[in-house]
Structures are given as structure tokens and as C-alpha cells.
Amino acid sequence: MSEVLNVEELFASKVFTRATMKERLPKNVYKEVIKVMEQGGELSLATADVVAKAMKDWAVENGATHYTHWFQPLTGITAEKHDSFVSHPDENGKMIMEFSGKELIKGEPDASSFPSGGLRATFEARGYTAWDITSPAFLKEDATGVILCVPTAFCSYKGEALDKKTPLLRSMEAVSEQAVRIVRLFGNTEATKVVASVGPEQEYFLVDREKYLKRPDLIFAGRTLFGAPAPKGQEMEDHYFGTIRERIGAYMKDLNIELWKLGVTAKTQHNEVAPAQHELAPIYETANIAVDHNQLVMETMKKVAGRHGLTCLLHEKPFAGVNGSGKHNNWSLTTDNGVNLLDPGDTPNENIQFLLVLACIIKAVDKHADLLRQSASDVGNDHRLGANEAPPAIISIFLGEQLEDVVKQLVETGEAAHVLQGGKLETGVSTLPDFTKDATDRNRTSPFAFTGNKFEFRMVGSADSIASPNTTLNAIVAEAFCEAADVLENAEDFDTAVHDLIKQYLTEHQRIIFNGNGYSDEWVAEAERRGLPNIKSMIEAVDTLTTEKSVKLFEKFGIFTKAELESREEVLYETYAKTINIEALTMIDMASKQIIPAVISYTKSLADTVIAVKEAGADASAQADLLKTVSEKLSEMKAALEKLEDVEAKASVMDDVKEQAFYYKDVVKEAMAELRAPADEAEMLVDKKVWPIPTYGDLIFEV
Ligand code: ADP
Ligand code: MG
């Protein structure tokens, strides 16, 4: 019998929840905190002191010795610097653990060692972290002890955002304000804000830690840079939703427990398409909390893996030839009085508010397809987007049959008189129940799919923060809402005006709607005819951030200044160049110190064999043939290695970051592929006993 888990008790046991606050704070203080959480504003320092003390007492009772302002710099991961609660002892040498309101609200890490893209020169090293009161504080527990983590935003001395959180929070306010204008038009006087909610489905790989440690490419680059395919891949479709093996199951169980303690609603778990690939999805929550929690999910996945002798790979493409990992970002907007703006109801054709919201989103996505594409790009994702396993690099919207039909009627006649219904699902088995079907089937290839009462943005990479995609979504939709509200608030005849506006938006932007197979070549050609952007790589997407259209959008809603956008561009180019640089150096290292020496020693033993066999008077032609082939691969490798060393050296001294990033993409990556090819061929020829690193078969089938 396994031990009974009390999940209700476990859940959020490491979180300074509202319930905990209510219990521990004086009534008036609690009220003030809730007011600021819900309506914005600032806590007085006196109140902050009371909250800090309660938070510290709770943390210390739970074993905490330190606190940290937990933030999300532009590295895409989280940062923390621990401070203990230890204070100056009194004259008797007695020390009291302390944590002040000031320390809770504001931190001052040295900002000079985080990427800032020129926003902050080293002599202006000051950066501030500010408490994000809307995301609850929590306790992280590991070998370091127990640390109280206060979620924060990170800004420069001049107030420029140095992180991913600040613009996200700004975008949430923008979309809320504009969405409230929309619902007001339809007579909703109660809603005071509209919340962007997000549910990210996280894919990941697990490999055996011992084997991982024998692969410098996994250690330094997070993905394999060499490796011939195993005899079996994912073609049998036997892993997706397959029975979860014991070792993986034990990992998932532990992972869930750790996440539940942190208040993360880990909900679904299953095996994914590729061998050794899995997925975890939580229940959706407010965007900034979802972003924080997704960071915790990624971090916890890695941490728990270590305890099970495993390593968790979050890279978008750890293995060539089998699927990589993504993160479906489910997004919707809900008023604080409970109306999901993306819920069409049973008769979407009559739901004018829904149709207006939908038309605005269609307009926003069409107008800013380039920005949305950019928001989901990172170095690893270049291996997926457009590679027939993930959505294409072209943004389009899938609406499903029901809504597509409604849109078609509206565009053609200005009216949507009828609506397709799902009907009954007949199984043909008398003992099985008949279901009512959804009105729409699923589509797996669309980058931006309407799925019932939300949009699922499927381009995001598995290792990436979900802050940027959601910041962009909120921003572009805020703009469309704003433009619609500007027209409709002044309309003399609202009903006619809204009807005309929906028709106009749908007509002008219907080119972005595509319900077919996004993986097909026909779609690429069709999209080009429609004039939709097809941005093929991360760095080709970077300058979409500073187009006139983009700067206007982000400045209008106070989400990014032009300087902030330019700084992000620079950071992206730098990140790209640095990442490919590490990959290239790792390949050089592995080829020269491991693979080439192994192949040389194999040719030596073949040569010895040829001589010995000949001396013994037998036919050595098979051995000699093999020796010849392996030697050819060896010289190809040697030549490719020299070329890679040469271009890598050129790349590393280039001054202009943009030029450098493109050189890495066009020249260095090419040279890397040229080195990989003969090495992978050699792997198929060389005795496994002398092959210096675990193979694909070892890594993904023997977990
Ligand atoms: P599937 O794999 O079938 O797409 P999953 O259950 O794996 O579905 O994930 C769906 C995700 O969408 C979950 O995180 C879920 O909480 C989230 N979700 C559901 N409704 C909403 C909503 N209104 N807004 C945002 N996310 C939502
Ligand atoms: Mg899923």
C-alpha cells in the first residue's frame, strides 16, 4: 500500500497565501493589502512593516533563514540573491531575526552583470527590484535550506525595465483598461478589470544523469550536437500517451508534490510524441502568476530530476530526428465579474460582444503577426518552427468550422443567421453513451488556434519564458480594443456601428484565418500569396521590435519605450551569438578531444587487423574496405573541424552584434552541420566499445 497523500493539506503549504495573510495580519492591514493587490496603488511603509514581519515569522516557523527578491532578468531564467534574516546582535550578543517593510518592498541588486542591451552602463550599476504584490511569496526548500522568495520586477535607476516581468505587468494593465471599455459598451457596469489568464503546457525530456554527464554537448549546450539516429525513432507512435514507466512515474509523482506545495496546480501529465519526452500542464491562472509558476515548474523539473538520477532537458530540440519540445500558451481574458470574453456560448452568431472581441483579436494578430512570431522565438526554437513537428513560422489563426462559418456569413452578407452545431457522436456500440460533439474538430498544426474559450498560442519554445508572448498578446489586443472603443463610444447608433465594425475587421483581416494543414508546402505558397510574413529564424525576427508600427504600439500603452525595445534587440542578437558560439566551441572540443581520437584508434586497430589477417594468409579485403571508409570519414571530419575553427575564430572577434549574429547563423551553423555529418556517419561504422559518448539509443530509449 502506498502512503496516502493529503494533497489538500499539501497544496500551497509553502505559499504565503491570502488565507495565511488573513490569519496572521491585523484586519485593517489585510484589507489594505488586498485592496492594493486588486486595485493597484502602494502600501504605506507602516503597513509594509507589519506585512514583512508576518511574512518573516511565517517563513521562520517553516524553517527559513534567508529571503530573496526573486526576479526574471533578460536571461530568460530567474535570479536570486539570498539575504539572511540575521540582524546586528544587542550588547548581550542576542540576535533577533528581522525583515523590514522596506526590505520587502524594494531590493537593490547590482544590476551591472545582467543583460541590459546598453540601457545601463556599468558605471550606472544601480538596479531595483520591486515587490509584485499580486504574485504570492513562497518558500523554496533545498540543500541551501529554506528561502523566502518575494516575486519582484527589476528596473534600472531610471525606471527602465531590465526584466521580463515589468513589461508583462504593464501589458496586463493596458489590456485590462481597454477591455473594460469594450464590456462597458455592452452594458457591463460591474467589471472593474479584465484579467489575462494563461495556462502553459510544458514539454520536457528526461535522460539518465550518468549518461548525460558523458555528453559535453548536453552539459554545455543543452542539446546533442552529434549523434546518429537510433534504429527506432517515434515512428511507431507508441510513446504518446503510452503507459508511464515506473522510474518516470516516480519522478512525476515527486514533481507534482513539490509543485503542489508551491501552489502550482499541476494537473495533467503524459508521455509525449518523442521517446523520453513528457508533458505537464497546470490549471490556468492570472498571467503574471502563470509566468512565475512556469519558471518554478521548469526549475523544479530540473531539481527533482537530480534526485531520481535523471536530468531534465528543456531545450527545444535536444535530439535531431525526433520531435522537440514546445510550450502551448493558452490565453484568454476574463472580467473580474466572471465573464470570459472568449466564450462564444452556444450561439456565437448572436453573441455580438464575443464577435467584436474575436474580430479585434483577428485584426491584432494580422496586424502584428511579425511581433507575435518574434515573441515566441529563441535560439532553440529555430530548430522547431517550420520543421513539421511544430507550427510553421508563419502566423495564422485556426477558428474551427463553426466560427469560420460564422465569419464567412458575416463577411459575405453582414449577418450570421445560423450556426453549425456539433450534433451527436455515434459510436455504433449500444452500451456506450452517445455524446454531444464539439462543434469543431481539433487542429494540431495551427500556431494560433481557437480552442473553445481561449486561444492556444503553440509556437512558444519549451525553454523560453512565457512572459514575452503574453506581453505581446496583451499589447496587440489592447490596441485593437482601444481602436474599436474609440469608434464605438462615439457612435450615434451603436448597433449599426458595431455590426459594421465587425464586418470591416473580418473583411480586412480574414487573410490571417487558415483552417488547413499548416505543415504543407501549399500553405507556405498560399501564405505568401496572402502577404503573410514568413520569418524563418529568431534573428530575422528581432528587428520587428523597433518598426514604427511596433514602437507606436508599445509606447502608446506604456509597455516599452523605444530605448527599452532597442535594448532588447541588442540582448537578443547577443544571446544568439553567444549561444551558437558555445555550441561551436563544444563541437570543436568534442570532435578534437573525443570523436576524432576514437576514430583514429579504431583505424589503428583495423589496420593492425588487416596486417595480421594478411600475415595469417587470409583475405583481409573486408577489413581493408572498412578501414578505407572510416579513414575517409576521418579526413572529412578533420577538414570540417578546421573550417569550423576558422569561421568560429572570425565570428568571435566581430564588433557589430547584429552582423555577428547573422554570421553565426549563416556561416558558423553551416560549418557545424558540415562537421556533424561525417561524425554521425562514422558513428555508424565504428565499434560501439570505442565510441566515446552515449548514443541516441542509449539516451532516449534506456531511461
Ligand atoms: P490540450 O493538450 O488538450 O490542449 P491541456 O489540458 O494539456 O489541453 O492544457 C490546456 C491548458 O489550457 C490548461 O493549462 C488549462 O488550464 C488551460 N486553459 C483552460 N481554459 C483556459 C482559459 N480560459 N484561459 C487560459 N487557459 C485556459
Ligand atoms: Mg496538452
Side-chain angles (χ1 to χ4, degrees):
M1 259 287 281
S2 64
E3 174 197 349
V4 176
L5 263 186
N6 189 338
V7 181
E8 286 179 13
E9 211 163 88
L10 207 66
F11 190 78
S13 56
K14 306 270 172 185
V15 185
F16 197 60
T17 57
R18 276 194 191 204
T20 315
M21 279 198 268
K22 194 166 186 183
E23 207 180 279
R24 289 171 175 262
L25 293 175
K27 235 189 190 132
N28 58 332
V29 172
Y30 174 73
K31 267 198 184 146
E32 194 180 330
V33 171
I34 298 299
K35 187 159 168 254
V36 174
M37 278 169 78
E38 287 178 351
Q39 296 166 28
E42 263 177 71
L43 290 186
S44 68
L45 202 55
T47 308
D49 274 331
V50 178
V51 179
K53 179 164 186 312
M55 207 186 258
K56 185 258 311 172
D57 288 346
W58 167 80
V60 169
E61 281 164 36
N62 282 282
T65 51
H66 292 69
Y67 73 94
T68 183
H69 273 200
W70 188 70
F71 60 105
Q72 302 175 21
L74 298 178
T75 51
I77 51 173
T78 59
E80 52 193 78
K81 172 189 145 220
H82 302 167
D83 276 294
S84 74
F85 295 121
V86 170
S87 67
H88 204 284
D90 67 13
E91 66 275 16
N92 302 316
K94 177 154 175 50
M95 187 281 297
I96 292 173
M97 302 281 260
E98 270 178 5
F99 184 45
S100 70
K102 211 169 141 231
E103 287 168 312
L104 167 63
I105 290 177
K106 193 180 99 187
E108 219 181 295
D110 180 348
S112 60
S113 294
F114 294 103
S116 74
L119 266 187
R120 188 215 59 245
T122 335
F123 58 90
E124 294 168 342
R126 254 179 224 281
Y128 295 99
T129 47
W131 181 28
D132 173 10
I133 196 171
T134 57
S135 182
F138 58 91
L139 299 175
K140 244 208 270 189
E141 186 173 7
D142 54 32
T144 334
V146 181
I147 314 289
L148 169 67
C149 298
V150 179
T152 57
F154 180 41
C155 295
S156 77
Y157 187 67
K158 293 186 186 126
E160 291 141 330
L162 294 174
D163 69 348
K164 302 213 168 205
K165 189 74 170 287
T166 310
L168 174 74
L169 292 170
R170 294 172 182 165
S171 77
M172 289 170 66
E173 290 191 358
V175 78
S176 174
E177 195 180 316
Q178 301 308 322
V180 166
R181 290 176 69 193
I182 298 291
V183 300
R184 287 278 185 278
L185 290 167
F186 290 90
N188 183 337
T189 50
E190 277 171 47
T192 61
K193 66 176 179 179
V194 171
V195 177
S197 55
V198 171
E201 305 165 42
Q202 177 72 49
E203 293 181 338
Y204 62 99
F205 278 84
L206 288 174
V207 295
D208 185 87
R209 185 154 180 82
E210 293 289 313
K211 291 175 192 155
Y212 162 88
L213 289 172
K214 295 193 177 115
R215 295 275 322 207
D217 46 3
L218 288 180
I219 293 173
F220 297 123
R223 73 176 181 107
T224 54
L225 298 164
F226 294 100
K232 184 181 172 190
Q234 62 193 39
E235 64 277 34
M236 299 304 287
E237 300 176 335
D238 53 357
H239 193 252
Y240 188 62
F241 282 19
T243 312
I244 295 166
R245 267 165 300 149
E246 287 265 341
R247 185 177 187 194
I248 306 302
Y251 165 81
M252 288 179 170
K253 179 180 168 192
D254 239 12
L255 175 62
N256 286 332
I257 292 175
E258 291 306 323
L259 291 175
W260 289 332
K261 285 189 206 163
L262 291 168
V264 178
T265 49
K267 176 84 176 163
T268 58
Q269 60 195 26
H270 60 84
N271 288 347
E272 257 300 331
V273 169
Q277 190 186 28
H278 314 280
E279 181 185 297
L280 177 144
I283 297 173
Y284 67 93
E285 35 192 355
T286 306
N288 62 322
I289 302 177
V291 168
D292 287 358
H293 280 175
N294 182 248
Q295 290 287 355
L296 285 180
V297 165
M298 293 195 283
E299 195 181 309
T300 310
M301 280 180 163
K302 290 187 177 165
K303 194 190 294 184
V304 173
R307 294 185 203 152
H308 290 257
L310 297 163
T311 293
C312 173
L313 303 176
L314 292 172
H315 194 283
E316 285 79 6
K317 193 74 179 177
F319 303 99
V322 295
N323 275 12
S325 301
K327 187 141 56 188
H328 291 177
N329 185 89
N330 295 271
W331 171 93
S332 74
L333 294 169
T334 307
T335 66
D336 58 352
N337 66 341
V339 182
N340 179 350
L341 301 188
L342 289 166
D343 188 353
D346 290 335
T347 49
N349 55 324
E350 292 162 4
N351 186 344
I352 306 299
Q353 178 179 301
F354 169 75
L355 291 176
L356 177 64
V357 167
L358 183 71
C360 285
I361 295 175
I362 289 172
K363 175 185 167 190
V365 172
D366 184 31
K367 180 170 174 195
H368 296 293
D370 57 344
L371 275 182
L372 208 50
R373 163 43 177 128
Q374 189 287 321
S375 76
S377 61
D378 69 14
V379 191
N381 225 7
D382 276 2
H383 297 279
R384 293 177 67 241
L385 298 179
N388 281 9
E389 59 170 81
I394 306 161
I395 295 272
S396 66
I397 301 181
F398 170 81
L399 290 179
E401 288 155 46
Q402 189 189 50
L403 287 184
E404 199 196 6
D405 175 61
V406 170
V407 168
K408 194 162 155 255
Q409 293 177 57
L410 286 168
V411 170
E412 282 170 6
T413 67
E415 301 296 332
H418 51 84
V419 62
L420 302 174
Q421 293 295 354
K424 284 256 185 270
L425 175 85
E426 285 161 26
T427 56
V429 179
S430 64
T431 51
L432 290 179
D434 281 344
F435 301 108
T436 315
K437 280 196 291 192
D438 290 309
T440 291
D441 198 2
R442 286 178 180 239
N443 166 303
R444 303 245 305 172
T445 63
S446 176
F448 198 74
F450 185 74
T451 45
N453 61 0
K454 59 186 159 73
F455 271 101
E456 187 170 340
F457 184 30
R458 297 175 174 148
M459 269 189 173
V460 186
S462 51
D464 209 1
S465 158
I466 53 169
S468 300
N470 289 300
T471 302
T472 304
L473 268 172
N474 294 339
I476 65 177
V477 172
E479 183 190 59
F481 283 168
C482 175
E483 286 166 2
D486 285 348
V487 173
L488 296 174
E489 281 167 357
N490 297 314
E492 273 171 25
D493 174 356
F494 176 72
D495 289 345
T496 311
V498 71
H499 170 276
D500 291 350
L501 200 65
I502 292 171
K503 183 170 181 213
Q504 181 201 330
Y505 285 177
L506 293 177
T507 310
E508 285 172 5
H509 299 284
Q510 56 181 325
R511 65 173 187 166
I512 196 77
I513 300 170
F514 177 64
N515 286 335
N517 178 8
Y519 293 174
S520 69
D521 293 336
E522 294 81 59
W523 168 233
V524 177
E526 167 67 16
E528 198 180 333
R529 268 194 298 280
R530 294 189 190 183
L532 302 177
N534 182 0
I535 305 174
K536 298 206 172 69
S537 70
M538 165 182 164
I539 51 171
E540 284 161 288
V542 170
D543 56 17
T544 61
L545 286 174
T546 49
T547 58
E548 213 185 305
K549 163 174 86 77
S550 162
V551 174
K552 206 171 136 214
L553 161 74
F554 287 123
E555 288 202 329
K556 177 169 181 183
F557 295 100
I559 296 167
F560 286 114
T561 61
K562 184 153 189 250
E564 286 172 334
L565 288 165
E566 282 165 352
S567 77
R568 266 149 226 257
E569 281 196 342
E570 195 174 317
V571 171
L572 289 168
Y573 288 130
E574 264 172 22
T575 305
Y576 186 87
K578 286 179 186 165
T579 307
I580 306 295
N581 181 48
I582 292 170
E583 291 188 351
L585 291 178
T586 305
M587 282 191 94
I588 292 170
D589 199 74
M590 289 173 77
S592 22
K593 295 187 196 151
Q594 293 184 284
I595 298 176
I596 291 179
V599 177
I600 290 175
S601 79
Y602 187 57
T603 52
K604 162 92 170 46
S605 79
L606 280 174
D608 291 348
T609 312
V610 172
I611 294 165
V613 171
K614 271 192 190 154
E615 259 173 27
D619 175 16
S621 57
Q623 292 88 334
D625 274 354
L626 184 56
L627 175 59
K628 186 164 166 282
T629 321
V630 176
S631 300
E632 276 165 17
K633 293 299 144 208
L634 184 59
S635 35
E636 284 173 35
M637 254 190 284
K638 182 82 184 9
L641 173 63
E642 278 164 18
K643 182 170 166 203
L644 181 59
E645 284 171 331
D646 180 48
V647 297
E648 160 58 32
K650 286 198 181 99
S652 60
V653 295
M654 294 173 87
D655 289 332
D656 182 276
V657 280
K658 180 173 179 183
E659 204 181 305
Q660 185 187 38
F662 274 91
Y663 188 82
Y664 271 107
K665 172 171 100 57
D666 297 329
V667 182
V668 178
K669 271 185 97 170
E670 212 47 44
M672 286 163 60
E674 281 168 32
L675 174 57
R676 178 172 182 156
D680 289 359
E681 282 162 17
E683 185 192 325
M684 301 301 285
L685 301 166
V686 170
D687 186 347
K688 189 166 190 315
K689 288 206 279 295
V690 300
W691 197 251
I693 49 177
T695 63
Y696 270 29
D698 302 332
L699 286 166
I700 56 179
F701 283 96
E702 294 176 25
V703 196

